[in-house]
Amino acid sequence: MTKTKIYTILLFMVLGLQYSYSQNYKFKTSGFSVLEKKENGKWGKWSDLDLVNILVTLDTNKNRIVIYSQVIQLFEIVDYQATEENDTDIVYSFTCKDNNGDNCTLSIITRKKQDNRKQLYINYDDRIVVYNIFNM
């Protein structure tokens, strides 16, 4: 075989492997709550849970998470953090930039001792938003 054919075959194999590991995940929300930092630097209280039914997608091919709320929230995944697991939770975290270019961390947490309930946390320096989510 010629070198060109070998390189072509290798290229298609690499592209095929990359495609096979890329996935789309879809979730629906059932509610959300917000926690904000006060002027004194201490955390306040969680807001009352608001019931919402919106779509959330995790697209590992495009390295983004999208929350289709009234104002669409787009998070570009900068880094996939190591999965953490303990007796109560499984945590998948992502270092992200939001629509405004602000840094944040998104975490999808599965609560093992709560019938595998899932939550999406969006952590900024001054606020945390949590969505209760479920697989579609």
Side-chain angles (χ1 to χ4, degrees):
M1 278 199 199
T2 66
K3 286 185 179 180
T4 307
K5 287 182 181 178
I6 292 172
Y7 289 132
T8 304
I9 291 170
L10 287 174
L11 176 65
F12 282 114
M13 288 177 61
V14 168
L15 290 174
L17 285 175
Q18 181 180 359
Y19 181 74
S20 67
Y21 288 111
S22 298
Q23 294 186 15
N24 274 330
Y25 300 91
K26 291 185 179 185
F27 304 95
K28 278 287 199 177
T29 66
S30 60
F32 84 99
S33 183
V34 178
L35 176 66
E36 293 183 301
K37 204 175 263 189
K38 297 180 184 179
E39 290 180 16
N40 64 8
K42 295 187 180 197
W43 291 102
K45 293 182 179 181
W46 284 101
S47 67
D48 291 337
L49 186 71
D50 286 334
L51 301 179
V52 293
N53 182 14
I54 54 179
L55 177 65
V56 176
T57 61
L58 164 59
D59 186 338
T60 60
N61 188 36
K62 294 181 180 177
N63 294 314
R64 68 182 188 184
I65 297 171
V66 182
I67 301 173
Y68 293 94
S69 54
Q70 189 171 7
V71 175
I72 294 177
Q73 302 169 65
L74 174 64
F75 299 92
E76 175 190 351
I77 299 172
V78 177
D79 186 35
Y80 292 80
Q81 298 178 16
T83 302
E84 299 175 28
E85 185 169 357
N86 57 40
D87 291 341
T88 59
D89 301 321
I90 303 171
V91 182
Y92 301 94
S93 293
F94 313 90
T95 303
C96 298
K97 285 202 176 288
D98 69 9
N99 309 46
N100 301 319
D102 295 330
N103 295 321
C104 57
T105 301
L106 273 72
S107 299
I108 298 174
I109 302 175
T110 301
R111 307 289 184 186
K112 292 179 182 180
K113 293 187 176 181
Q114 297 178 17
D115 293 326
N116 291 321
R117 179 171 70 105
K118 289 183 177 24
Q119 294 182 302
L120 170 64
Y121 282 82
I122 306 168
N123 293 282
Y124 290 94
D125 290 337
D126 61 346
R127 68 193 178 282
I128 302 171
V129 179
V130 63
Y131 288 94
N132 291 325
I133 60 174
F134 56 92
N135 293 338
M136 287 185 58

